[in-house]
Amino acid sequence: EDQVTQSPEALRLQEGESSSLNCSYTVSGLRGLFWYRQDPGKGPEFLFTLYSAGEEKEKERLKATLTKKESFLHITAPKPEDSATYLCAVQAPGGKLIFGQGTELSVKP
Amino acid sequence: DAGITQSPRHKVTETGTPVTLRCHQTENHRYMYWYRQDPGHGLRLIHYSYGVKDTDKGEVSDGYSVSRSKTEDFLLTLESATSSQTSVYFCAISESTSPNYGYTFGSGTRLTVV
């Protein structure tokens, strides 16, 4: 069964304190792994797509990496505006996205 | 926001009443999806459409039906709302099933069934 598990469920950081979010997955034929950011009361907003193990992508303070079993979202020197829920999803054959439960990140000044 | 609108944004309804949520897009994308988001469950796929009048079930389709009579509109209907359908509903669109084309999400509809 295709499945995505994110950890931790919640993460509280001080401004400038770097950390990582984890996304473990099992899928029959990974076509792509997606990271989204979701702010309260809004829909998810696309961040990255990763296609194969070893791939990395960066955007400002965020860097996403991919292995054959998991992906990490590294946050370097976070700021309060990085506070949000981060969602991981895998694309199964047929195109549908399967989402994890998300990690709620809070960055305090 | 980028060409996808959900209506209404908020709705309170009584158990047993029918409810229809609307998703409207101006991007002319072929694929449209309905998800629900609940604490502890994340986003779960209800139904999706791969063209006008072409729809299929997702993992949590019981109690829901959909229709797509035009490219731009995808309707989600709860025939007889139950308290377990209290949730936030998101519509998403995609140009293709290729991973090169991500999903764009609407802002969501918060539905409360009392």
Side-chain angles (χ1 to χ4, degrees), chain A residues 31-32 34 36 38 41-46 49 51 85 87 91 94-102, chain B residues 9 33 35 37 40-43 45 48 57 90 96-108:
Chain A
R31 303 183 69 214
F34 299 78
Y36 284 84
Q38 186 176 23
K42 296 189 176 181
E45 179 182 341
F46 172 78
T49 306
Y51 299 94
T85 296
L87 303 173
Q91 188 176 42
K96 298 184 292 279
L97 292 190
I98 301 166
F99 284 84
Q101 297 176 352
Chain B
R9 289 297 315 276
Y33 306 84
Y35 283 85
Q37 188 173 39
H41 290 279
L43 283 158
L45 182 64
Y48 64 100
K57 296 178 180 180
F90 287 99
S96 164
T97 58
S98 165
N100 296 323
Y101 299 88
Y103 285 19
T104 300
F105 283 85
S107 298

Side-chain angles (χ1 to χ4, degrees), chain A residues 9 21 36-40 82-87 101-105, chain B residues 37:
Chain A
E9 290 186 10
L21 282 55
Y36 284 84
R37 170 190 170 128
Q38 186 176 23
D39 293 302
D82 294 321
S83 297
T85 296
Y86 291 86
L87 303 173
Q101 297 176 352
T103 294
E104 184 178 355
L105 174 66
Chain B
Q37 188 173 39

Side-chain angles (χ1 to χ4, degrees), chain B residues 76-91:
Chain B
L76 177 70
T77 298
L78 290 65
E79 300 291 347
S80 178
T82 68
S83 58
S84 65
Q85 294 175 312
T86 292
S87 186
V88 181
Y89 291 86
F90 287 99
C91 176

Side-chain angles (χ1 to χ4, degrees), chain B residues 44-95:
Chain B
R44 292 180 292 173
L45 182 64
I46 305 171
H47 281 281
Y48 64 100
S49 171
Y50 45 96
V52 173
K53 297 191 173 152
D54 291 324
T55 65
D56 206 347
K57 296 178 180 180
E59 63 175 306
V60 291
S61 59
D62 288 348
Y64 302 95
S65 63
V66 290
S67 65
R68 191 168 177 202
S69 58
K70 299 184 290 185
T71 297
E72 57 265 37
D73 289 324
F74 192 32
L75 303 180
L76 177 70
T77 298
L78 290 65
E79 300 291 347
S80 178
T82 68
S83 58
S84 65
Q85 294 175 312
T86 292
S87 186
V88 181
Y89 291 86
F90 287 99
C91 176
I93 61 174
S94 180
E95 188 170 352

